[in-house]
Structures are given as structure tokens and as C-alpha cells.
Amino acid sequence: MNVYRTRAGLRHQFRDVLNFYYPACIDTTVGGYVAQLDERDGHIYDSRTRHLVATARGVHNFSLGVLADGPDWCRYAAEHGLRFLSTAHWDADREGYDWLLDSRESTDRTRYCYGHAFVLLAGARALQAGIPGARAELERVFDVLEERFWEPEHGLYADRASPDWALASYRGQNANMHACEALLAAYEATGEDRFLERATTVADRFTREVTSATDGLLWEHYTEDWEPDLSYNEDEPRHQFRPPGYQPGHHAEWAKLLALLDDHGSASWPLERAIELFDTAIELGWDEEYGGLYYTVAADGEPIVPDKYGWVHTEAIGASALLAPHDEAYADWYDRLWEHSVEHLRNPKYGNWYERLTRSHERDDPNRGTAVEPGYHPLTNCWLAMDVLEDEPAAFE
């Protein structure tokens, strides 16, 4: 039996990820989190950089630790990170969150909707966990998102702006997906319909209307008028954040969000669309020769970047867990994804997840940088799977 069909097995993996980052990530001198831990052995390779997304994800992660009755230090760690997020990253003069800091000094004040979405997610989970100051942070960042990024004529969020709030022309899928995720979390934390209504608008507009131009597939990059920019970065297939092509991982991630939206609403379309998107992720992305999901593919499923990313597989695990109560075929995919991930993508010594491997699951570089993955994807999806096992245990029998 797959041990991750049990709450005990999932809790063990959940704690392993938390334990990999704590206490090494806590900086009591500068403040905030040191997120740049080597994924092989956990040593710190950059103690000064503070990235907005990593800070917000850290608050989210430790807040989930509180909600999941994790170690007692999760509350302290969440409080520690939220204080830094609300002071060091916040630019009071321009009213937005700075993207990158060197210790506490801003080095990049670009305003990214993606980063502000993660602040909203952090505020929502911290509020659920009872962390002081969380409600104020949630309201502050939601105001910024609504006033600066929301474009009512499109029903979607703009992607980025200058420090003085001049919007760039680029529009992107990823910022809106994570805004939807954060809005759902804000609804769960507050019970206020304004968050659910906005999440529903974003999900409906993007996954059903915008994608009609690409036969229902989720393209990543768009013009200011939300027309697909099919040539975007076509000469940079390995661009770290904005590669060309379709991403099976984002199809699975949207499937997860739509399944959550289905849990909160009465319409039938979110679940129907979630199933379509998960099935598409597998159909386009599954590597029949080596196993696992490709990173990017063409519309016919031909791989562009065949590498295997840890986050892609954790998102597919979360989506399959949420879909399993509706069809046992997704419980089978849940097992298959876990089997593949444990064999290749999870660090066998520490339980953290590798960022990226080659198609044949080899490590070809240390996967370091300022924009790191501090355990957010595996923690989130373990937490969701635990919730399914509590509410729908028959889905995995």
C-alpha cells in the first residue's frame, strides 16, 4: 500500500520538509528567512538575499505547520517571517512590496502581481493560524492588488509595474493563477464572499474564455489585450520563469485550484474543467520512456524542455488527491506520481524536494539562485491530501 494514502505517511513527509528549513532558515540578526539552502545537504550558500516570494512562502509554510498541529516552533517561525514581510518588504512611500532585498536594503522595487499574490496567501494562512498582524497584512495587500493590478475590463490582473506603478504591457497566466490561489485562501480564512467572487471571476475568465484561443490549452504569455503571444521567449526555451510552450505542471495546478473552487461553489463547470486540465497534463506531459511529467511541451505534446521539476509533480499529486473522490482513476495517478517522486525527486536523506532533474533524472547543476523554492509546493499538497483523507477517506481505499 502507498504510505501516502495514510495521514501518518503524509504527516511524516510534511514534517520532513519543515525540519529541512527550520531552524537554519531563521535569521535573528537581519530578520526574516534565509531561503537559500542547498537542496542536497541544507548548507546556506547565500545568507543575505531576501526574496519577496520566498519570504511570503515561508510565512505560509509555517502557518500550515500550525494548522496541521506541527512542531511548536512553527508559530514562532510564522510570526518571525510575518514581521519581516510587513516591515522590510513593504515600501510605505510607494505602497507596495519590494521584490528583492540585500538584508534589509531594497535592490529591486519592481512590483510583481505574482509576489503580491503570495503576500495575500501568506496573510490568509497566517490569519487561519492566528498569527498576530495577519488580518492587517491581508487587507493591505488585497487593497494593492485591487487598486494597482486589477483590470475590470478584462476580469484579470496585470502582471507587473515599475516602482512608481507604471504597468508593463506583458500579461501572464502565472500571476493570475497564484492570485486565484490566494483569493481562495483568503475566502477560507475570512468566509467573505468578495474573495470567492474574485477567485471565481479570475478562474472563469482565464481557464474558459482566454484559453479558447488555444483550443483550451493554457498558454503562459499574453499581450496587453490578453491575446496569446505565441512567439514570447521562443529563442529562450530554458528561460527560468517565462519559458515558451505549454506547462503540464500549470495544467495540473489549475486543476487543483478548480477542484477547490468546486468545493466552495454550486456551479458544475469548475470540476468539469479541473478534470479536463488534469487529463491534459497527463496526456501532453507524461514521459512514457523515463516516467514523470515534462516541464514544457508543444501543443502536440512534443517536449520542449523535458526536464523533471519537483514542483510539477507535487502539484499533480495535490490535484489527483482532490479529484480522487470523484473518480478512482485519479487515486491511481496519485499513487503513480508518489512512486515516481519518491524514487527520483525527493531527497532520500532529508525529505526535501529537488528543484529540477534532467529527463532521465540526473542532477546537472546545484539549482541555486535568489528565487528559490522553500518547500511551498510539497507542503501545500501534502496538506491538501491530508484534508482529503480526513474528509473523504474512502477515496483512497
Side-chain angles (χ1 to χ4, degrees):
M1 177 182 175
N2 177 6
V3 68
Y4 300 109
R5 286 194 177 206
T6 69
R7 283 181 60 82
L10 288 167
R11 285 182 64 84
H12 185 76
Q13 164 68 134
F14 188 89
R15 286 184 177 231
D16 278 351
V17 176
L18 288 174
N19 285 329
F20 178 76
Y21 290 96
Y22 185 91
C25 74
I26 302 295
D27 189 328
T28 57
T29 303
V30 171
Y33 304 124
V34 178
Q36 288 75 24
L37 275 61
D38 185 271
E39 64 182 12
R40 297 162 297 183
D41 59 19
H43 79 268
I44 294 169
Y45 60 85
D46 175 1
S47 64
R48 296 181 60 87
T49 301
R50 300 290 185 271
H51 195 288
L52 177 61
V53 175
T55 300
R57 285 179 174 182
V59 175
H60 161 274
N61 293 351
F62 291 117
S63 296
L64 285 192
V66 176
L67 293 170
D69 296 322
D72 291 342
W73 40 257
C74 287
R75 181 171 297 278
Y76 158 73
E79 292 173 352
H80 175 84
L82 187 62
R83 282 194 300 271
F84 189 85
L85 180 64
S86 64
T87 55
H89 278 288
W90 174 250
D91 180 352
D93 293 334
R94 300 172 183 84
E95 296 191 333
Y97 292 84
D98 289 347
W99 183 244
L100 205 60
L101 310 177
D102 181 355
S103 294
R104 301 184 75 94
E105 181 179 348
S106 179
T107 57
D108 186 349
R109 296 185 186 274
T110 305
R111 307 300 186 221
Y112 287 95
C113 178
Y114 178 84
H116 286 68
F118 273 105
V119 176
L120 180 60
L121 180 65
R125 295 305 183 208
L127 178 59
Q128 285 181 287
I131 304 302
R135 182 65 194 237
E137 207 63 34
L138 183 154
E139 294 293 349
R140 181 164 71 176
V141 69
F142 182 67
D143 287 346
V144 175
L145 283 164
E146 291 295 290
E147 293 171 10
R148 298 296 191 175
F149 291 106
W150 180 247
E151 296 186 304
E153 69 273 25
H154 296 296
L156 293 164
Y157 290 98
D159 190 82
R160 69 180 185 273
S162 68
D164 294 319
W165 292 108
L167 289 176
S169 61
Y170 174 88
R171 299 292 181 271
Q173 176 283 135
N174 206 19
N176 282 275
M177 180 181 69
H178 285 291
C180 182
E181 174 191 29
L183 290 161
L184 288 170
Y187 172 70
E188 293 167 1
T190 66
E192 295 178 10
D193 287 341
R194 59 182 171 140
F195 298 116
L196 181 60
E197 290 167 0
R198 180 65 83 234
T200 302
T201 297
V202 171
D204 189 11
R205 174 74 176 117
F206 184 76
T207 67
R208 295 211 294 172
E209 295 182 33
V210 171
T211 58
S212 65
T214 48
D215 296 325
L217 300 180
L218 308 181
W219 189 249
E220 298 288 323
H221 316 294
Y222 295 83
T223 68
E224 198 168 5
D225 293 324
W226 280 96
E227 296 295 328
D229 186 350
L230 298 177
S231 64
Y232 190 88
N233 276 349
E234 62 183 357
D235 58 343
E236 293 187 72
R238 291 186 175 274
H239 191 281
Q240 184 175 5
F241 300 112
R242 292 179 175 167
Y246 296 96
Q247 296 193 33
H250 282 160
H251 285 69
E253 197 163 359
W254 264 115
K256 178 190 78 173
L257 296 179
L258 293 177
L260 290 171
L261 185 61
D262 176 72
D263 288 342
H264 296 313
S266 57
S268 61
W269 73 263
L271 179 60
E272 294 170 358
R273 190 70 174 116
I275 290 170
E276 289 176 0
L277 290 175
F278 185 88
D279 291 349
T280 297
I282 297 300
E283 181 181 352
L284 287 181
W286 190 260
D287 183 346
E288 294 293 347
E289 182 175 358
Y290 291 99
L293 291 161
Y294 298 128
Y295 182 45
T296 56
V297 299
D300 62 0
E302 184 68 22
I304 299 173
V305 176
D307 296 349
K308 309 297 168 57
Y309 278 71
W311 72 263
V312 170
H313 295 78
T314 60
E315 290 301 326
I317 285 169
S320 60
L322 290 169
L323 293 175
H326 303 283
D327 188 328
E328 65 180 14
Y330 298 107
D332 293 338
W333 270 110
Y334 178 86
D335 289 343
R336 191 171 180 181
L337 286 157
W338 265 117
E339 180 181 6
H340 176 84
S341 299
V342 169
E343 182 177 358
H344 298 293
L345 292 160
R346 194 187 62 171
N347 185 333
K349 185 173 182 179
Y350 297 103
N352 62 302
W353 289 58
Y354 298 132
E355 179 185 351
R356 184 186 64 81
L357 303 174
T358 67
R359 180 185 180 186
S360 56
H361 306 108
E362 298 171 350
R363 294 177 53 86
D364 60 357
D365 65 43
N367 292 326
R368 295 179 182 176
T370 56
V372 294
E373 163 49 63
Y376 146 80
H377 288 285
L379 286 169
T380 297
N381 291 289
C382 274
W383 187 63
L384 288 174
M386 284 191 283
D387 190 55
V388 173
L389 281 167
E390 183 174 345
D391 295 338
E392 301 273 1
F396 293 106
E397 290 180 355

